[in-house]
């Protein structure tokens, strides 16, 4: 018995996996060929189709009105995201607080703003004066100190900021809450046992660990927000898209102007992608998995994988 | 109140309809090492967590160094303290957890100096100097810059012990400190704890390590079903148990 068990593998003991023949991958070669043909067609169309109007694109790309529109888009993105993040952290803390009233109030807010389209919210704020002609500051149900006409206060810009920011707060609240819940409860207990105050535990122990789970989806939200600002063109705010639209309504160079818009959105989101990968690296200190580097999408073979 | 570091009287605690602690009395004097033994679910970890108020009490009273952790006495009545005041009173009670609970985003050194700086108001230099000394004391000299996941379980638990010691606690609580460790790593943690016990630190240790109880304990307390069944010197409780439940529990370790 013992001899047969030893004999069987002994026949090939001089073999070594280092010299093994690699598998052939015919389907990979075929699919590469198909992709190449499509890519060649795309390039040919980009170069030979005059309707793209590359000279028009180039002429308008850095036109002053377009750059001003881009500025409005970027400003809206930043202001709406700041409102969204601050609101999101507040709502998330309310959602996990011990106070049942705060919990359900935050839940109601999130339910409403996630459950209705951003576009509808934008138009709603733009038309707020139809609902509330005057906004008053005073004691509730008591005397009024000062009163403003809603139409003067809510400009298209403020309507856009309110619509995008309040809506973003609801999404950020869920992202932050998920991050906070992902931190092991033992971390809070360890901080408490050391005599640390709750605010300090949140700032030094919980949040830095939650950030690993908060940053990647927040990066998505920022990139979504850059593009969501295009919605404000419906309330006649001259962002990047609205500026381009008003130009092609005049010149009928629709496709070249839309390409100008796409190129700028791509440039902005690419920069944001790089920034995000650096922030992720920062919060991954001490973690097992490193954040992917920006250049990973150019890698044919993923790092550390076999063949 | 007398010279006892820890005094517990009639401590009761329920989770839902299950009573986990049914009236615990325990005194611990300065420098004493008390080891609490008992089967799983006997309430020994819950009792330990009641001492520094990680769990609230339903009835009874616990004082550490003569003061209630969660209450003030005014006009002959106990008044609940605010979370910040409770935090201030917890700083005298060190705790070592079964799962270590080191802060994974901080190095060993940063884990140790965080609370002395934040809570005791120490300067960064002073705290760092002491932390380096404490790491050497638990046998981890030179590992200041290691992140927790770069250390073995036994090393992580020794960093956790150093982190608790950095607060200069009057009382140290150990909640099954070796239960999450591979068998070959248990010894190094127990050796560190034995050194602390003989150096005169006041310790309450919940553990399943009978040999540690025998060698390091001044007093062994046996708990079952939320009550102290018997207590005494290791010789009395481990070698000559008086109660049937103690004998049944210890027989599983022979």
């Amino acid at each position: 018995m013992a001899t047969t068990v030893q004999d069987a593998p002994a026949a090939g003991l001089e073999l070594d996996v280092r010299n093994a023949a690699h598998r052939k991958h015919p389907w990979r070669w075929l699919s590469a060929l198909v992709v190449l043909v499509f890519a060649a067609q795309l390039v040919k169309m980009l170069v030979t189709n005059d309707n793209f109007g590359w000279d028009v694109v180039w002429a308008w790309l850095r036109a002053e009105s377009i750059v001003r529109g881009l500025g409005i888009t970027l400003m809206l993105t930043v202001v709406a995201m700041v409102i969204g993040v601050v609101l999101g952290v507040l709502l998330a803390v309310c959602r996990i607080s011990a106070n049942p009233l705060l919990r359900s109030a935050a839940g109601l807010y999130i339910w409403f703003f996630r459950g209705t389209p951003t576009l509808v919210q934008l138009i709603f704020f733009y038309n707020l004066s139809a609902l509330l002609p005057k906004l008053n500051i005073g004691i509730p149900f008591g005397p009024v100190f000062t009163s403003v006409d809603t139409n003067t206060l809510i400009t298209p810009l403020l309507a856009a900021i309110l619509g995008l920011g309040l809506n973003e707060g609801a999404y950020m609240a869920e992202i932050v809450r998920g991050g906070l819940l992902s931190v092991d409860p033992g971390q809070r207990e360890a901080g408490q046992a050391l005599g640390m105050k709750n605010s300090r535990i949140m700032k030094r122990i919980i949040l830095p660990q939650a950030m690993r789970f908060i940053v990647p989806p927040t990066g998505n939200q920022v990139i979504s927000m850059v593009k969501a600002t295009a919605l404000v063109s419906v309330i006649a705010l001259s962002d990047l898209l609205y500026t381009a639209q008003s130009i092609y309504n005049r010149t009928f160079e629709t496709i070249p102007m839309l390409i100008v818009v796409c190129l700028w959105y791509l440039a902005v989101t690419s920069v944001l992608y790089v920034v995000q990968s650096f922030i992720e690296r920062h919060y991954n200190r001490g973690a097992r998995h490193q954040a992917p580097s920006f250049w990973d999408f150019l890698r044919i073979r993923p790092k550390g994988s076999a063949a | 109140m007398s010279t006892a570091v820890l005094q517990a009287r009639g401590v009761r605690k329920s989770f839902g309809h299950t009573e986990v602690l049914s009236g615990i009395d325990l005194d611990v004097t300065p420098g004493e090492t008390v080891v609490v033994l008992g089967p799983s679910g006997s309430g020994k970890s819950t009792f330990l967590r009641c001492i520094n108020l990680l769990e609230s009490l339903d009835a009874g009273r616990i004082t550490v160094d003569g003061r209630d952790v969660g209450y003030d006495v005014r006009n002959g009545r106990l008044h609940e303290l605010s979370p910040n005041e409770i935090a201030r009173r917890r700083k005298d009670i060190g705790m070592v957890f079964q799962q270590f609970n080191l802060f994974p985003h901080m190095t060993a050194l940063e884990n140790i100096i965080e609370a002395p700086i934040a809570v005791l108001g120490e300067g960064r230099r002073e705290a760092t100097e002491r932390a380096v000394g404490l790491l050497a004391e638990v046998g981890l000299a030179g590992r200041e810059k290691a992140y927790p996941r770069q250390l073995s379980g036994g090393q992580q638990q020794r960093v956790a012990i150093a982190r608790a010691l950095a607060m200069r606690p009057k009382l140290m609580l150990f909640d099954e400190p070796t239960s999450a460790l591979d068998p070959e790593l248990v010894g190094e943690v127990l050796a560190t704890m034995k050194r602390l016990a003989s150096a005169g630190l006041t310790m309450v240790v919940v553990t399943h390590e009978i040999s540690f109880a025998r060698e390091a304990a001044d007093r062994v307390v046996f708990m079952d079903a939320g009550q102290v069944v018997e207590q005494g010197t290791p010789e009395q409780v481990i070698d000559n148990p008086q109660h049937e439940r103690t004998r049944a529990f210890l027989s599983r370790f022979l």
Side-chain angles (χ1 to χ4, degrees):
Chain A
M1 235 356 229
T3 46
T4 47
V5 168
Q6 275 184 345
D7 279 353
L13 271 185
E14 75 284 1
L15 294 181
D16 191 319
V17 289
R18 270 181 301 186
N19 309 320
H22 287 295
R23 284 185 57 203
K24 300 280 181 283
H25 295 286
W27 289 106
R28 286 190 192 172
W29 288 106
L30 188 68
S31 50
L33 195 69
V34 172
V35 170
L36 268 178
V37 169
F38 276 115
Q41 271 192 310
L42 183 68
V43 170
K44 177 177 175 271
M45 182 182 74
L46 285 174
V47 174
T48 58
N49 189 335
D50 290 336
N51 294 334
F52 278 109
W54 290 111
D55 49 335
V56 183
V57 170
W58 188 243
W60 280 105
L61 196 57
R62 285 159 63 202
E64 201 201 324
S65 56
I66 289 287
V67 172
R68 214 180 310 125
L70 177 70
I72 297 277
T73 291
L74 291 178
M75 188 272 285
L76 266 180
T77 305
V78 171
V79 175
M81 268 326 284
V82 168
I83 292 175
V85 168
V86 172
L87 205 56
V89 172
L90 287 177
L91 285 166
V93 170
C94 288
R95 279 276 267 177
I96 57 177
S97 86
N99 183 337
L101 189 69
L102 283 182
R103 273 206 308 270
S104 32
L108 200 67
Y109 179 98
I110 293 166
W111 169 77
F112 180 81
F113 280 92
R114 284 205 311 179
T116 52
T118 316
L119 186 56
V120 176
Q121 290 169 25
L122 271 176
I123 301 172
F124 194 91
F125 280 112
Y126 186 57
N127 293 299
L128 196 64
S129 64
L131 178 67
L132 308 165
K134 284 197 178 302
L135 296 176
N136 301 326
I137 297 177
I139 295 167
F141 305 108
V144 171
F145 299 143
T146 172
S147 174
V148 220
D149 184 32
T150 306
N151 260 337
T152 12
L153 184 72
I154 308 282
T155 58
L157 182 65
L158 194 59
I161 288 172
L162 281 176
L164 295 173
L166 297 188
N167 180 67
E168 185 58 31
Y171 285 93
M172 282 308 301
E174 290 297 273
I175 291 174
V176 174
R177 185 172 70 103
L180 294 180
L181 291 181
S182 71
V183 180
D184 179 60
Q187 293 290 311
R188 167 177 294 273
E189 289 185 351
Q192 287 176 325
L194 287 165
M196 293 169 74
K197 292 180 186 177
N198 281 332
S199 54
R200 177 93 183 185
I201 293 174
M202 183 56 91
K203 199 176 92 194
R204 295 281 302 170
I205 314 290
I206 312 276
L207 266 184
Q209 294 182 60
M211 286 304 270
R212 285 186 53 218
F213 296 88
I214 293 175
V215 168
T218 303
N220 273 341
Q221 291 302 110
V222 177
I223 287 171
S224 294
M225 179 61 83
V226 173
K227 296 174 295 172
T229 55
L231 290 174
V232 304
S233 58
V234 300
I235 57 173
L237 189 63
S238 41
D239 73 320
L240 183 56
L241 177 61
Y242 188 81
T243 309
Q245 284 174 322
S246 46
I247 294 168
Y248 70 63
N249 284 339
R250 207 171 60 230
T251 65
F252 299 106
E253 292 160 333
T254 311
I255 295 294
M257 289 318 294
L258 288 180
I259 286 176
V260 167
V261 170
C262 286
L263 288 177
W264 273 119
Y265 280 123
L266 278 173
V268 173
T269 50
S270 303
V271 170
L272 289 174
Y273 187 44
V274 178
V275 173
Q276 183 187 346
S277 68
F278 279 109
I279 297 177
E280 275 182 47
R281 271 160 182 265
H282 172 77
Y283 282 109
N284 261 6
R285 279 168 307 162
R288 196 177 304 274
H289 299 288
Q290 281 304 309
S293 130
F294 169 62
W295 300 110
D296 274 1
F297 76 96
L298 289 178
R299 236 177 260 281
I300 292 176
R301 290 179 181 199
K303 232 187 290 183
S305 89
Chain B
M1 301 257 167
S2 66
T3 55
V5 177
L6 171 72
Q7 282 200 311
R9 289 291 174 273
V11 175
R12 285 176 180 276
K13 173 77 184 173
S14 302
F15 292 113
H17 293 294
T18 327
E19 193 171 56
V20 186
L21 301 176
S22 323
I24 301 281
D25 296 324
L26 187 71
D27 281 15
V28 178
T29 54
E32 200 178 14
T33 297
V34 174
V35 171
V36 184
L37 298 176
S40 311
S42 59
K44 49 195 195 311
S45 281
T46 305
F47 175 63
L48 206 67
R49 290 163 59 83
C50 283
I51 296 173
N52 66 355
L53 222 65
L54 286 184
E55 303 286 355
S56 59
L57 284 65
D58 292 343
R61 191 176 177 191
I62 297 180
T63 59
V64 175
D65 211 24
R67 288 200 304 181
D68 300 79
V69 177
Y71 302 87
D72 250 349
V73 185
R74 286 202 302 273
N75 309 322
R77 215 178 145 205
L78 291 174
H79 293 258
E80 254 181 43
L81 291 176
S82 75
N84 283 352
E85 288 167 317
I86 294 172
R88 217 168 296 138
R89 295 200 176 175
R90 278 191 181 120
K91 71 181 184 343
D92 291 337
I93 311 170
M95 185 158 193
V96 174
F97 298 86
Q98 183 176 349
Q99 300 294 339
F100 329 138
N101 293 350
L102 288 179
F103 307 133
H105 59 301
M106 297 182 183
T107 62
L109 186 88
E110 288 167 343
N111 264 279
I112 298 172
I113 64 175
E114 178 65 30
I117 293 174
V119 181
L120 302 180
E122 276 184 24
R124 177 166 281 272
R125 258 194 50 198
E126 184 196 353
T128 305
E129 267 171 36
R130 286 207 307 124
V132 170
L134 283 166
L135 274 175
E137 217 173 286
V138 298
L140 289 170
R143 302 310 305 269
E144 288 80 12
K145 290 204 170 80
Y147 282 99
R149 72 164 188 91
Q150 297 165 328
L151 300 169
S152 73
Q155 291 173 327
Q156 288 187 49
Q157 192 60 297
R158 285 183 282 150
V159 173
I161 292 173
R163 178 174 73 173
L165 289 176
M167 295 298 290
R168 299 196 176 96
K170 293 180 177 141
L171 172 67
M172 276 279 272
L173 310 173
F174 293 83
D175 186 8
E176 305 201 21
T178 57
S179 296
L181 296 176
D182 291 335
E184 76 270 24
L185 302 177
V186 168
E188 61 191 60
V189 172
L190 291 183
T192 306
M193 289 167 60
K194 275 179 208 159
R195 269 208 310 282
L196 296 175
S198 51
L201 186 67
T202 312
M203 297 165 45
V204 179
V205 183
V206 168
T207 185
H208 291 290
E209 298 290 334
I210 306 287
S211 63
F212 175 79
R214 198 190 296 277
E215 291 165 40
D218 297 307
R219 185 149 49 103
V220 172
V221 174
F222 178 73
M223 270 179 76
D224 191 20
Q227 288 175 317
V228 173
V229 175
E230 64 178 299
Q231 53 178 310
T233 62
E235 293 76 25
Q236 287 169 336
V237 177
I238 298 173
D239 300 327
N240 190 18
Q242 297 301 305
H243 205 285
E244 181 50 42
R245 281 191 282 179
T246 319
R247 259 177 254 144
F249 173 75
L250 289 168
S251 68
R252 280 183 280 147
F253 293 92
L254 297 175

